[in-house]
Amino acid sequence: MNRKEWNEGFANYAYHHSETLEMDRSAQGIPSTFRTAPLHPPYPQNPLHSSSDLRRWEPSEMIPMRSIDRETSRPRPPFFNMDPPENETGCDNTGFELWPDDSYGTFSSPKDGSGQRDTSSIPDIHQNEETSNKEPAEAKRRRTIGVTLRLASLAGLSISQYSMPETELSEEEKEDKMQLIDELAQLSPNERMKVIQQLTMSIDEKREIRDQVQQKIGPRSAEKDVQIHRCTQLVYKAFFCLRRSREIMLICFHSIHPWTGSLKIIGSKFGTGVLSYFTFLKWLLMFNLFSFLINFSFIAIPQFFDMGINNVTFSGLELLTGSGSFTKTIFYYGFYSNHSIQASPTAEQYNMQLAYFLTIGVYMFSCFLYLVFSMGKSFNESIVAVGILSGDAAKLLCSWDFNITNAKAVELKRRNLSTQLKEMLSDKMRYHRQLSTKQRILRCFVHFISWIISLGTTIGCCLGIHSFSIINFQNIWYYIYTSGRLLCIEFLGKRENFRSWMNWLFNKLNSGEEFDPVKANTNELSLRSELSVAGRPAKRNEPPKLWSIIYKDPTEEEMQKQAATLLLPIVVAIINLFIPLFFSFLGVMERFKYARHEIYILIIRNVLLKMSVVGVLCYYWLVTVASTVECWETFVGQDLYRLVVIDFIFSLLGSFFGEFIRSIMGTHCCHQLGVPEFDIARNVLGLIYAQTLAWIGLFFAPLLPAIQIIKFFIIFHVKKVSLTMNCQPPRQAWRASHMTTIFIFLLFFPGFLGVLCLLGVTVWKWKPSKRCGPFRGLNVPYNSISHFIRMTQEKFAQMFWLTWAYKNLIKNPLFYFLLTIIVFAIIYLYLQIIDGQKMMTKLLQEHISNEGKDKTYLLRKLNTVKVKIGSSKEKLSAMKINEETNDDTDTESKLNLYFETRRAIDYQTRRFDEHSLAKDRDTVSEQDIEEPGYQRTHEGSGSALALAMAARHQAEQDPNE
Amino acid sequence: MGGSASHLSKEQLSEYQELTFLTKQDILHAYRIFTELLSKDLVDFQNIRIAKERFCELPELKANPFRERICLVFSTAIEKDGSVSFEDFLDMLSAFSDSATLEIKSHYAFRIFDFDDDGTLDKEDLKNLVNCLTGGTSDTQLSEAEMNQLIQNILEEADIDKDGTVNLSEFQHVISRSPDFVSSFKIVL
């Protein structure tokens, strides 16, 4: 058998128990002779007797230590006698009735005597206890809590479950309990509490166990405790205080947290699918809260000490546009000063440049780590754990959502479930019917066309936004403030010349020269020569002058200008609102075979659209705006502010028109429309888009998270109301955790990483504006760090390690190179480990299926043996009667026949016993490998299954570490 | 918090906290709800049991198709009538709470689904389960053929050792593959 190699070769933890394993094996060798005994008839017609004999016959060598006296002194459980002595299959069931505490899995009620019970349970449990008793103390210590837990939970089951009054608690159960208490006594108080919490027993039983454990360790631990207290009293106290304060904080948080109730209501009516949208929203809100706190305390508060005077009046339109009186506030990049700030002449200096750079950097870094970890965790939980897509069983067994408590919702959920099940079943039946080639080609063609259409739409939208942004930008920047007056300068030349004209103008302005329109007019010739349009005749469409200057009412102009800035965000928001609807329509037209595919394809298309729109906008900001506008960071910040606000307004409008009006239409006008469903995917993608904008804005408008917080807060409530008033739960089952994983991934991959790239380029490569912001005067914002390092090198000699670290780690490509190599090596190592574990899982799965086959085979064998025994017995008794009646004739031949039959029976029974023995051994060895006492479902396959699960669990854990 | 002059002593509170996954707030909240269900103020609330029918009127359970099973599983009454004491109630809340592990949740789910209490999910149990899930009305109920097909599918997938029933470890194996279970097997008061 390859079992042995398997024990020693595969599972590392098998080594821990290898000695016990051997012992078991040697012990196993002996009983085979005894095992045949019970079926020899002292009282062959009474299986109860035979099995109790089996108990007595068991050799004492097999049962070490305590188990011995248990074996001998075990009283027969009272209800054992009440069992029906024989049914058709009674024979193989008797073993169970003797063991009333057999764990949950194999306890057999008289009702289901189907003969399909596992026969290996008796030796199984023996071996199990044996090993755990033999185990050396260290090995016991090595046990994880999980083991104890499992054991305990099984013990608990047997106590609390299945029609066993307390009075009938057998010795066995008490034994289990004692063992559990022993194990608990060895744990530290904290661990013990956790284990007790995780027992699947009622409180009463838990309390009993706890008290017994306390009794057991009582005096000893009291001394110990005192000692510990003396040693580390302070640490304990601090720990206790910390925990208490945490508890109090949690209480406060819970009491002020207004959303638990809302979430409960949503969950109760719409189930976990819709709930996942709201929890995602809440999660993002926490993100923003964190970033707001960081930015506010490290960037904004210091800046308060160095505020200029803002005398632009507030007109109200600023709330929409973010410009006007908002421009010169701490809201935007441009307002921050580039020098060190001192609260008072004596106070320490606060280096604003460094603070700005490091705050954003640290926030981005912590976001990165947090996202990676939460992504890894949720991947681990949902995708890896699912493995092969689970089918009906999982769907059905886990389908009920206990969150739903609303009667109507329950009814709806039931109906949905039943239609889903019906659909699924009919799908399964139809599944074998293949599509014809023609149909398949047609289907592919339809998919292809719709991909082309959607990609074309995306590209079209991007191009449209690009050209629109440039045109819009030109319109805006005709208006220039100079020396307190507003000049409206209309650029009449060709658009290609616009940028160089603007540059010229700004150079003039920046050089401190008063912009005098009259002078400018006279200067036009020189500009023309600069633009190399002079000297050649004006083309047909070219105006004779490059600009015309119109004096206008400044306030009115200002309003117009602000309104004009809103155009671009509105266009973007319209695209974001309507194109996804178009995509959904396309998806419906495509008629996907699985709803799942439709959702995935929709998500891909929507993400492509949103991210390319953001990409085009970034290009516009970094290339067009950055090279033209004087304080371009502030301008970009304002643009982002507008985008965020307009996106907010449109999402409100969307929920008003898309849900409210739609539901009114559905309920009153045309009934076939029905009440709209809440489209989770589209809504979540909207959130991801909004969050991406907020992250981009972090550098340009550090307080943008505040707006985001307000926005998310309002959206939460509006969506909640709109949902409960207008929507019905989604008809399709929503695999919430799976989708949440995908959404977190999307938030990370195009969202966060894109933002990182953008900010990286801005910080390392792009020239900051010359006249505003914390980085004015630098070539790139990153230089602030190198300046700081140089300064510390000069001023503080004791900070040499900082300079050293900067030079050797941050500036050194070799360091990154090494780091990358190490990371790759670790990844490779883990990949290999995972591969190995996958292989092992596969082997174990094969093992389980073989085990199942073995079992059915043995059962069949057992049945045939039983039938044969029965028939031979009949023959035998018939013969005996015959012998009695006419004993004179050919007795010898009959005797021969009798012995032959006996031999046959013996042979059969022995063979059967050998079989069951072999099986027992396997079972035992598996359990030993795993950990003794780990799983006491007395089925070989059960324990192998548990082993496989444990292995897989480990495999999943590893990549996470 | 505990301003409503609860009869829960401090020791009891901390004991319950130690023995369940519930926080202090949860326990106090549960206490309030429990006394409301009792509809009279009783000093000896710990030994009082609420009848199954009364307990199922709890808004969190009222519409739940498995409410009776839940009562029966968590009840420690000797008469097996599904009546629920305060501690049983706490047990239930603890198993359905956020902090309970997958192991515990799947264990109790298994017991809830095991209608005949025989330790395995056999065909009858699965049939009962499907009927509970789809509701009793004739338009939602599955036909005999569909039911058989469905049960066969389930057993094919879940019954690893092919003994015709789903036992606890097989059930837990299935559950471990559906990550939504933890979030859906939850009752919040």
Side-chain angles (χ1 to χ4, degrees), chain A residues 197-306:
Chain A
Q197 268 185 357
Q198 296 190 5
L199 298 178
T200 47
M201 307 177 181
S202 70
I203 288 185
D204 223 25
E205 285 154 354
K206 283 185 193 170
R207 188 184 295 134
E208 199 186 318
I209 285 186
R210 189 200 57 178
D211 290 346
Q212 284 180 11
V213 172
Q214 285 296 341
Q215 259 177 24
K216 199 170 163 91
I217 54 166
R220 184 158 53 96
S221 81
E223 283 167 29
K224 240 193 204 164
D225 277 355
V226 171
Q227 274 179 356
I228 287 170
H229 273 283
R230 275 192 199 129
C231 298
T232 52
Q233 209 172 16
L234 220 108
V235 178
Y236 267 95
K237 259 191 183 166
F239 184 70
F240 188 72
C241 281
L242 255 173
R243 215 169 57 178
R244 242 197 109 68
S245 60
R246 190 175 147 260
E247 221 164 72
I248 291 168
M249 257 171 62
L250 270 179
I251 292 167
C252 293
F253 192 68
H254 267 283
S255 55
I256 52 167
H257 206 281
W259 285 0
T260 28
S262 312
L263 287 177
K264 189 190 157 190
I265 293 169
I266 293 164
S268 76
K269 278 192 178 165
F270 297 91
T272 30
V274 176
L275 195 63
S276 70
Y277 166 79
F278 285 90
T279 38
F280 191 69
L281 183 58
K282 208 175 105 181
W283 189 67
L284 284 182
L285 193 84
M286 291 303 144
F287 247 105
N288 283 304
L289 202 66
F290 172 63
S291 84
F292 172 74
L293 284 181
I294 274 199
N295 280 0
F296 190 73
S297 45
F298 290 106
I299 305 180
I301 289 182
Q303 189 62 38
F304 276 128
F305 294 104
D306 191 42

Side-chain angles (χ1 to χ4, degrees), chain A residues 893-905:
Chain A
S893 64
K894 269 177 189 165
L895 255 175
N896 276 343
L897 186 67
Y898 172 78
F899 281 124
E900 221 164 272
T901 335
R902 272 303 294 270
R903 253 203 310 280
I905 296 169

Side-chain angles (χ1 to χ4, degrees), chain A residues 47-155:
Chain A
L48 293 175
H49 272 271
S50 71
S51 50
S52 62
D53 278 348
L54 176 134
R55 178 83 7 111
R56 275 186 224 118
W57 271 87
E58 259 164 357
S60 54
E61 307 98 86
M62 236 184 99
I63 303 125
M65 303 202 292
R66 286 183 310 194
S67 339
I68 297 172
D69 49 38
R70 170 154 54 96
E71 283 303 321
T72 46
S73 67
R74 177 198 301 280
R76 196 178 284 177
F79 76 97
F80 149 64
N81 287 330
M82 298 179 321
D83 267 339
E86 270 195 75
N87 45 22
E88 284 85 37
T89 56
C91 249
D92 60 291
N93 254 345
T94 48
F96 295 93
E97 265 99 78
L98 261 174
W99 295 75
D101 56 324
D102 270 3
S103 89
Y104 195 78
T106 48
F107 182 84
S108 86
S109 72
K111 184 183 155 192
D112 73 6
S114 55
Q116 292 201 316
R117 288 281 166 267
D118 188 11
T119 49
S120 65
S121 66
I122 300 169
D124 209 66
I125 194 163
H126 275 239
Q127 292 309 316
N128 210 344
E129 271 158 24
E130 231 173 75
T131 43
S132 57
N133 287 341
K134 274 180 196 167
E135 228 179 356
E138 308 93 75
K140 259 189 180 171
R141 264 174 213 287
R142 245 182 281 141
R143 272 190 195 175
T144 54
I145 300 175
V147 180
T148 329
L149 178 69
R150 271 159 222 254
L151 188 93
S153 68
L154 287 165

Side-chain angles (χ1 to χ4, degrees), chain A residues 104-105 107 109 111-112 116-117 149-150 153 157 160-163 193 196-198 200-204 206-207 210 247 251 255 264 272 381-382 385-386 388-394 396-403 405-407 410 414-415 417-418 421-422 424-425 428-429 734-738 848 852 855-856 935 937 939 941-942 945 949 952, chain B residues 1 15-21 25 59-60 63-66 70 76 80 87 90-91 96 101 103-104 107-108 110-111 113-114 116-121 126 129-130 132-136 139-142 146 149-150 153-154 157-158 160-164 167-181 183-189:
Chain A
Y104 195 78
F107 182 84
S109 72
K111 184 183 155 192
D112 73 6
Q116 292 201 316
R117 288 281 166 267
L149 178 69
R150 271 159 222 254
S153 68
L157 244 180
S160 64
Q161 264 268 253
Y162 296 116
S163 59
M193 203 178 97
I196 291 181
Q197 268 185 357
Q198 296 190 5
T200 47
M201 307 177 181
S202 70
I203 288 185
D204 223 25
K206 283 185 193 170
R207 188 184 295 134
R210 189 200 57 178
E247 221 164 72
I251 292 167
S255 55
K264 189 190 157 190
T272 30
E381 275 168 9
S382 67
V386 171
I388 326 148
L389 278 178
S390 46
D392 302 349
L396 192 80
L397 293 179
C398 318
S399 57
W400 191 256
D401 199 336
F402 285 79
N403 286 305
T405 56
N406 186 299
V410 168
R414 279 178 154 174
R415 189 154 304 143
L417 251 175
S418 111
L421 285 177
K422 282 178 183 170
M424 189 178 74
L425 287 171
K428 232 178 207 154
M429 288 165 188
W734 183 259
R735 297 166 61 207
S737 66
H738 186 77
I848 291 170
K855 199 168 140 185
T856 46
Q935 181 85 315
T937 339
E939 282 163 318
S941 47
L945 173 65
M949 279 170 68
R952 198 173 47 83
Chain B
M1 297 277 115
E15 185 174 46
Y16 288 145
Q17 258 172 287
E18 200 180 313
L19 295 176
T20 62
F21 290 107
Q25 276 62 51
E60 278 75 19
N64 197 319
F66 298 104
I70 293 176
T76 52
K80 305 269 164 263
E87 291 189 352
L90 287 186
D91 258 339
F96 278 103
T101 57
E103 200 122 38
I104 289 173
H107 174 102
Y108 280 110
F110 183 77
R111 275 167 65 177
F113 294 159
D114 182 14
D116 51 10
D117 279 345
D118 67 346
T120 55
L121 299 186
L126 290 176
L129 172 62
V130 175
C132 255
L133 287 176
T134 54
D139 58 325
T140 55
Q141 212 154 28
L142 301 185
E146 280 173 328
Q149 173 73 33
L150 183 63
N153 289 350
I154 294 170
E157 196 191 316
I160 296 166
D161 59 3
K162 304 289 170 225
D163 62 351
N167 62 28
L168 179 62
S169 48
E170 285 164 351
F171 181 76
Q172 283 180 333
H173 179 63
V174 171
I175 294 283
S176 73
R177 285 163 57 183
S178 66
D180 286 336
F181 175 75
S183 56
S184 65
F185 194 77
K186 201 163 73 180
I187 293 179
V188 189
L189 271 188

Side-chain angles (χ1 to χ4, degrees), chain A residues 179-194:
Chain A
Q179 200 178 335
L180 170 68
I181 289 166
D182 281 352
E183 283 186 28
L184 281 174
Q186 286 173 7
L187 296 172
S188 73
N190 235 332
E191 278 178 338
R192 196 185 314 140
M193 203 178 97
K194 268 184 200 151

Side-chain angles (χ1 to χ4, degrees), chain A residues 298-570:
Chain A
F298 290 106
I299 305 180
I301 289 182
Q303 189 62 38
F304 276 128
F305 294 104
D306 191 42
M307 287 257 267
I309 302 140
N310 190 2
N311 50 10
V312 185
T313 48
F314 179 74
S315 67
L317 194 64
E318 283 95 335
L319 285 178
L320 269 185
T321 62
S323 51
S325 64
F326 277 9
T327 314
K328 294 252 162 96
T329 57
I330 48 165
F331 209 85
Y332 296 114
Y333 168 92
F335 184 71
Y336 291 90
S337 40
N338 64 340
H339 49 264
S340 299
I341 292 169
Q342 271 177 308
S344 61
T346 52
E348 286 286 319
Q349 288 197 336
Y350 192 82
N351 190 336
M352 203 57 211
Q353 275 184 355
L354 207 63
Y356 203 94
F357 189 92
L358 287 183
T359 308
I360 306 274
V362 165
Y363 171 72
M364 280 323 227
F365 187 66
S366 50
C367 259
F368 177 79
L369 286 186
Y370 184 67
L371 271 177
V372 165
F373 278 113
S374 50
M375 201 168 64
K377 196 168 150 246
S378 99
F379 258 108
N380 182 17
E381 275 168 9
S382 67
I383 292 187
V384 184
V386 171
I388 326 148
L389 278 178
S390 46
D392 302 349
K395 228 182 227 164
L396 192 80
L397 293 179
C398 318
S399 57
W400 191 256
D401 199 336
F402 285 79
N403 286 305
I404 298 183
T405 56
N406 186 299
K408 254 191 207 162
V410 168
E411 208 38 56
L412 208 64
K413 170 105 187 163
R414 279 178 154 174
R415 189 154 304 143
N416 287 343
L417 251 175
S418 111
T419 43
Q420 253 178 57
L421 285 177
K422 282 178 183 170
E423 272 172 20
M424 189 178 74
L425 287 171
S426 61
D427 269 0
K428 232 178 207 154
M429 288 165 188
R430 258 190 292 138
Y431 188 70
H432 300 289
R433 211 180 60 195
Q434 289 288 327
L435 290 170
S436 70
T437 329
K438 198 180 154 194
Q439 275 173 316
R440 230 181 290 164
I441 291 173
L442 195 74
R443 193 162 276 224
C444 283
F445 185 69
V446 168
H447 288 326
F448 182 68
I449 291 288
S450 61
W451 266 109
I452 287 191
I453 291 176
S454 57
L455 286 182
T457 325
T458 307
I459 293 171
C461 287
C462 292
L463 288 179
I465 288 176
H466 181 69
S467 49
F468 182 79
S469 62
I470 287 177
I471 291 170
N472 195 38
F473 177 67
Q474 289 172 4
N475 284 336
I476 296 161
W477 284 91
Y478 285 165
Y479 309 97
I480 291 165
Y481 272 109
T482 138
S483 48
R485 282 182 309 162
L486 182 82
L487 289 180
C488 181
I489 305 164
E490 204 176 349
F491 184 68
L492 301 172
K494 286 178 94 177
R495 200 196 293 160
E496 295 90 76
N497 298 332
F498 174 74
R499 196 183 298 162
S500 40
W501 182 79
M502 286 301 274
N503 281 339
W504 175 81
L505 191 64
F506 279 119
N507 283 338
K508 282 263 179 285
L509 289 171
N510 291 347
S511 60
E513 197 179 307
E514 181 85 353
F515 184 79
D516 184 0
V518 185
K519 220 173 168 187
N521 259 335
T522 57
N523 278 342
E524 189 187 331
L525 266 180
S526 67
L527 174 67
R528 271 178 170 260
S529 70
E530 264 176 54
L531 296 179
S532 71
V533 280
R536 63 175 171 78
K539 284 181 186 163
R540 195 148 37 97
N541 290 336
E542 208 171 50
K545 280 169 78 176
L546 274 182
W547 64 78
S548 71
I549 297 162
I550 314 148
Y551 294 94
K552 282 188 178 167
D553 178 25
T555 46
E556 191 191 315
E557 271 313 300
E558 178 66 21
M559 295 292 268
Q560 270 187 22
K561 179 197 138 191
Q562 285 194 17
T565 57
L566 283 175
L567 271 178
L568 179 68
I570 288 176

Side-chain angles (χ1 to χ4, degrees), chain A residues 31-41 54 906 909-911 913-914:
Chain A
S32 64
T33 49
F34 293 94
R35 212 45 76 73
T36 51
L39 287 172
H40 283 286
L54 176 134
D906 281 359
T909 40
R910 203 175 305 133
R911 268 198 55 184
D913 277 7
E914 271 162 19

